[in-house]
Amino acid sequence: MKGSRDRVLVTGGAGFLGSHLCESLVDVGCEVLCVDNFYTGRRQNLAHLLSNPRFELIRHDITFPLYVEVDAIYNLACPASPIHYQFDPVQTTKTSVHGAINMLGLAKRVKAKILQASTSEVYGDPEIHPQPETYWGRVNPIGARSCYDEGKRCAETLFFDYYRQHGLDIKVARIFNTYGPRMHPNDGRVVSNFIVQALRGDAITIYGDGSQTRSFCYVDDLVDAMMRLMTTEPGFTGPVNIGNPTEFTVLQLAQLVLRLTGSSSSLQFRELPSDDPRQRQPDIGIARTHLGWEPRVSLEEGLRRTIGYFAGVI
Ligand SMILES: NC(=O)c1ccc[n+]([C@@H]2O[C@H](COP(=O)([O-])OP(=O)(O)OC[C@H]3O[C@@H](n4cnc5c(N)ncnc54)[C@H](O)[C@@H]3O)[C@@H](O)[C@H]2O)c1
């Protein structure tokens, strides 16, 4: 994907990460076909690409088969925030599982390489920190988050079975918390929540005592890693953790957002939701050695850019 005329399918391309990925792929010369059912994605995320001759947008739900000719597929379609994926949990599992089957079937038919946007949620509430890719996870199979976590785990299983059984060129990226412009203002994710609350002068809501830790990757770093992973040699499947290993407590994040926005919002502590992981930190050793990648954008810099975006849209 280095300046080639590859035809690339991006599912979920109208969403937060997908829209940045489409933009970067068009920038390096790819012909990009974006497929989205607009469940959480928005056309306006792609407004700047719609008139580009190398870009095409199709409304389609990936739980149904798709017949197109492409060289590579990035499978990102899936609601990613608990508010959205718990709204219709059966559809969430269908999107992960039926969607993966449909996209893998397409990749097999047209001999395309295919990358799955998996998630750190496959590790569940982990017993070891940071989490290496060899860790199998500790996931509740019957909880409110299971539709997402288990759906993504099953999608990984399908990817690896298509690799073993059909010799598909698969790549699995396990994405950790990523933030940046075009996140949904109301999707309940911690970074967008805090920024929107701070900009509006509302109280910043912290679940638990704020001592739970998270690592936050800026979207440009994430897109760079996914594109590097797609260009690795056939047989390099991953899974590869992609995220920023620098840990912050949720309380530290709130304080940084307050400082950068200059907001005088108060902090409000609420009860921790069930199955909320205490700590989440990627071990990015494989990404460093195999992709020559590591995150470059600091939390402070990334937050500045994200705050700039939200200040213009809310
Ligand atoms: N943002 C993160 O921090 C993060 C972390 C881990 C994994 N991921 C994964 O990355 C991918 C993109 O996440 P995001 O943050 O951009 O979320 P998002 O909700 O902004 O984007 C998901 C996109 O998928 C589309 N979609 C949902 N169901 C669909 C279906 N059945 N058919 C077609 N399109 C469908 C939505 O309309 C949306 O445009 C997801 O698969 C998510 O699980 C994201």
mmCIF file of all heavy atoms in Angstrom, residues 14 19 38 41-50 57 182 185 309 313:
data_model
loop_
_atom_site.group_PDB
_atom_site.id
_atom_site.type_symbol
_atom_site.label_atom_id
_atom_site.label_comp_id
_atom_site.label_asym_id
_atom_site.label_seq_id
_atom_site.Cartn_x
_atom_site.Cartn_y
_atom_site.Cartn_z
ATOM 1 N N ALA A 14 -17.113 4.921 7.579
ATOM 2 C CA ALA A 14 -17.693 6.229 7.919
ATOM 3 C C ALA A 14 -17.583 6.504 9.422
ATOM 4 O O ALA A 14 -18.034 7.545 9.900
ATOM 5 C CB ALA A 14 -19.161 6.292 7.484
ATOM 6 N N SER A 19 -12.816 6.542 9.005
ATOM 7 C CA SER A 19 -12.730 7.747 8.170
ATOM 8 C C SER A 19 -11.279 8.232 8.071
ATOM 9 O O SER A 19 -10.837 8.673 7.002
ATOM 10 C CB SER A 19 -13.642 8.852 8.718
ATOM 11 O OG SER A 19 -13.246 9.229 10.012
ATOM 12 N N PHE A 38 -24.012 3.079 8.442
ATOM 13 C CA PHE A 38 -24.268 4.323 9.186
ATOM 14 C C PHE A 38 -24.938 4.074 10.539
ATOM 15 O O PHE A 38 -25.703 4.905 11.013
ATOM 16 C CB PHE A 38 -25.070 5.326 8.339
ATOM 17 C CG PHE A 38 -24.364 5.696 7.073
ATOM 18 C CD1 PHE A 38 -24.852 5.303 5.833
ATOM 19 C CD2 PHE A 38 -23.178 6.412 7.116
ATOM 20 C CE1 PHE A 38 -24.169 5.624 4.667
ATOM 21 C CE2 PHE A 38 -22.494 6.738 5.957
ATOM 22 C CZ PHE A 38 -22.993 6.341 4.730
ATOM 23 N N GLY A 41 -21.607 5.451 12.205
ATOM 24 C CA GLY A 41 -20.795 6.304 11.331
ATOM 25 C C GLY A 41 -21.628 7.410 10.703
ATOM 26 O O GLY A 41 -22.853 7.347 10.691
ATOM 27 N N ARG A 42 -20.944 8.392 10.154
ATOM 28 C CA ARG A 42 -21.641 9.552 9.569
ATOM 29 C C ARG A 42 -20.997 9.952 8.251
ATOM 30 O O ARG A 42 -19.770 9.944 8.128
ATOM 31 C CB ARG A 42 -21.573 10.738 10.538
ATOM 32 C CG ARG A 42 -22.367 10.529 11.808
ATOM 33 C CD ARG A 42 -22.008 11.518 12.863
ATOM 34 N NE ARG A 42 -20.626 11.340 13.319
ATOM 35 C CZ ARG A 42 -20.047 12.052 14.267
ATOM 36 N NH1 ARG A 42 -20.697 13.016 14.845
ATOM 37 N NH2 ARG A 42 -18.800 11.816 14.623
ATOM 38 N N ARG A 43 -21.862 10.314 7.295
ATOM 39 C CA ARG A 43 -21.344 10.785 6.001
ATOM 40 C C ARG A 43 -20.430 11.979 6.189
ATOM 41 O O ARG A 43 -19.460 12.147 5.467
ATOM 42 C CB ARG A 43 -22.507 11.199 5.096
ATOM 43 C CG ARG A 43 -23.132 10.082 4.323
ATOM 44 C CD ARG A 43 -24.304 10.621 3.514
ATOM 45 N NE ARG A 43 -23.841 11.359 2.334
ATOM 46 C CZ ARG A 43 -23.534 10.797 1.186
ATOM 47 N NH1 ARG A 43 -23.635 9.489 1.039
ATOM 48 N NH2 ARG A 43 -23.120 11.514 0.161
ATOM 49 N N GLN A 44 -20.770 12.824 7.153
ATOM 50 C CA GLN A 44 -19.972 14.046 7.304
ATOM 51 C C GLN A 44 -18.509 13.749 7.681
ATOM 52 O O GLN A 44 -17.625 14.555 7.430
ATOM 53 C CB GLN A 44 -20.615 15.004 8.318
ATOM 54 C CG GLN A 44 -20.358 14.685 9.752
ATOM 55 C CD GLN A 44 -21.343 15.364 10.694
ATOM 56 O OE1 GLN A 44 -22.549 15.208 10.581
ATOM 57 N NE2 GLN A 44 -20.820 16.115 11.631
ATOM 58 N N ASN A 45 -18.258 12.554 8.235
ATOM 59 C CA ASN A 45 -16.866 12.168 8.521
ATOM 60 C C ASN A 45 -16.056 12.028 7.235
ATOM 61 O O ASN A 45 -14.824 12.059 7.265
ATOM 62 C CB ASN A 45 -16.816 10.833 9.271
ATOM 63 C CG ASN A 45 -17.240 10.966 10.725
ATOM 64 O OD1 ASN A 45 -17.235 12.065 11.268
ATOM 65 N ND2 ASN A 45 -17.595 9.846 11.345
ATOM 66 N N LEU A 46 -16.780 11.832 6.122
ATOM 67 C CA LEU A 46 -16.109 11.595 4.846
ATOM 68 C C LEU A 46 -16.361 12.725 3.853
ATOM 69 O O LEU A 46 -16.010 12.609 2.683
ATOM 70 C CB LEU A 46 -16.616 10.275 4.238
ATOM 71 C CG LEU A 46 -16.359 9.035 5.094
ATOM 72 C CD1 LEU A 46 -17.230 7.874 4.639
ATOM 73 C CD2 LEU A 46 -14.884 8.648 5.021
ATOM 74 N N ALA A 47 -16.988 13.793 4.320
ATOM 75 C CA ALA A 47 -17.417 14.868 3.418
ATOM 76 C C ALA A 47 -16.268 15.329 2.520
ATOM 77 O O ALA A 47 -16.458 15.567 1.316
ATOM 78 C CB ALA A 47 -17.953 16.041 4.238
ATOM 79 N N HIS A 48 -15.065 15.407 3.071
ATOM 80 C CA HIS A 48 -13.912 15.913 2.322
ATOM 81 C C HIS A 48 -13.408 14.916 1.281
ATOM 82 O O HIS A 48 -12.562 15.256 0.457
ATOM 83 C CB HIS A 48 -12.791 16.277 3.295
ATOM 84 C CG HIS A 48 -12.400 15.131 4.193
ATOM 85 N ND1 HIS A 48 -13.283 14.495 5.029
ATOM 86 C CD2 HIS A 48 -11.208 14.524 4.361
ATOM 87 C CE1 HIS A 48 -12.660 13.536 5.686
ATOM 88 N NE2 HIS A 48 -11.399 13.528 5.295
ATOM 89 N N LEU A 49 -13.902 13.676 1.327
ATOM 90 C CA LEU A 49 -13.429 12.670 0.365
ATOM 91 C C LEU A 49 -14.440 12.390 -0.744
ATOM 92 O O LEU A 49 -14.113 11.776 -1.756
ATOM 93 C CB LEU A 49 -13.143 11.343 1.090
ATOM 94 C CG LEU A 49 -11.950 11.307 2.043
ATOM 95 C CD1 LEU A 49 -11.871 9.943 2.719
ATOM 96 C CD2 LEU A 49 -10.643 11.591 1.299
ATOM 97 N N LEU A 50 -15.695 12.823 -0.537
ATOM 98 C CA LEU A 50 -16.778 12.390 -1.426
ATOM 99 C C LEU A 50 -16.568 12.794 -2.889
ATOM 100 O O LEU A 50 -17.025 12.106 -3.798
ATOM 101 C CB LEU A 50 -18.135 12.905 -0.916
ATOM 102 C CG LEU A 50 -18.598 12.272 0.413
ATOM 103 C CD1 LEU A 50 -19.869 12.935 0.921
ATOM 104 C CD2 LEU A 50 -18.800 10.769 0.257
ATOM 105 N N LEU A 57 -18.272 5.582 -1.732
ATOM 106 C CA LEU A 57 -18.976 5.220 -0.492
ATOM 107 C C LEU A 57 -20.242 4.441 -0.832
ATOM 108 O O LEU A 57 -21.034 4.881 -1.659
ATOM 109 C CB LEU A 57 -19.333 6.509 0.271
ATOM 110 C CG LEU A 57 -20.230 6.386 1.495
ATOM 111 C CD1 LEU A 57 -19.595 5.530 2.582
ATOM 112 C CD2 LEU A 57 -20.520 7.795 2.056
ATOM 113 N N ARG A 182 -13.331 13.352 15.317
ATOM 114 C CA ARG A 182 -14.412 12.548 14.740
ATOM 115 C C ARG A 182 -14.895 11.420 15.646
ATOM 116 O O ARG A 182 -15.660 10.565 15.225
ATOM 117 C CB ARG A 182 -14.062 11.967 13.362
ATOM 118 C CG ARG A 182 -13.737 13.040 12.370
ATOM 119 C CD ARG A 182 -13.662 12.463 10.953
ATOM 120 N NE ARG A 182 -12.801 13.288 10.155
ATOM 121 C CZ ARG A 182 -11.769 12.861 9.458
ATOM 122 N NH1 ARG A 182 -11.498 11.589 9.387
ATOM 123 N NH2 ARG A 182 -11.018 13.701 8.786
ATOM 124 N N PRO A 185 -19.497 12.614 19.875
ATOM 125 C CA PRO A 185 -19.560 13.408 21.112
ATOM 126 C C PRO A 185 -20.332 12.695 22.227
ATOM 127 O O PRO A 185 -20.053 12.913 23.392
ATOM 128 C CB PRO A 185 -20.306 14.684 20.692
ATOM 129 C CG PRO A 185 -20.457 14.638 19.217
ATOM 130 C CD PRO A 185 -20.154 13.256 18.741
ATOM 131 N N TYR A 309 -10.948 19.938 17.627
ATOM 132 C CA TYR A 309 -12.044 19.402 16.801
ATOM 133 C C TYR A 309 -13.382 19.582 17.520
ATOM 134 O O TYR A 309 -14.340 20.125 16.956
ATOM 135 C CB TYR A 309 -11.787 17.922 16.504
ATOM 136 C CG TYR A 309 -13.013 17.203 15.990
ATOM 137 C CD1 TYR A 309 -13.427 17.335 14.667
ATOM 138 C CD2 TYR A 309 -13.774 16.399 16.845
ATOM 139 C CE1 TYR A 309 -14.567 16.690 14.206
ATOM 140 C CE2 TYR A 309 -14.913 15.749 16.390
ATOM 141 C CZ TYR A 309 -15.299 15.897 15.072
ATOM 142 O OH TYR A 309 -16.431 15.261 14.617
ATOM 143 N N VAL A 313 -17.319 21.527 16.792
ATOM 144 C CA VAL A 313 -18.540 20.784 16.416
ATOM 145 C C VAL A 313 -19.618 20.730 17.500
ATOM 146 O O VAL A 313 -20.756 20.359 17.201
ATOM 147 C CB VAL A 313 -18.237 19.319 15.968
ATOM 148 C CG1 VAL A 313 -17.426 19.298 14.703
ATOM 149 C CG2 VAL A 313 -17.570 18.512 17.075
#
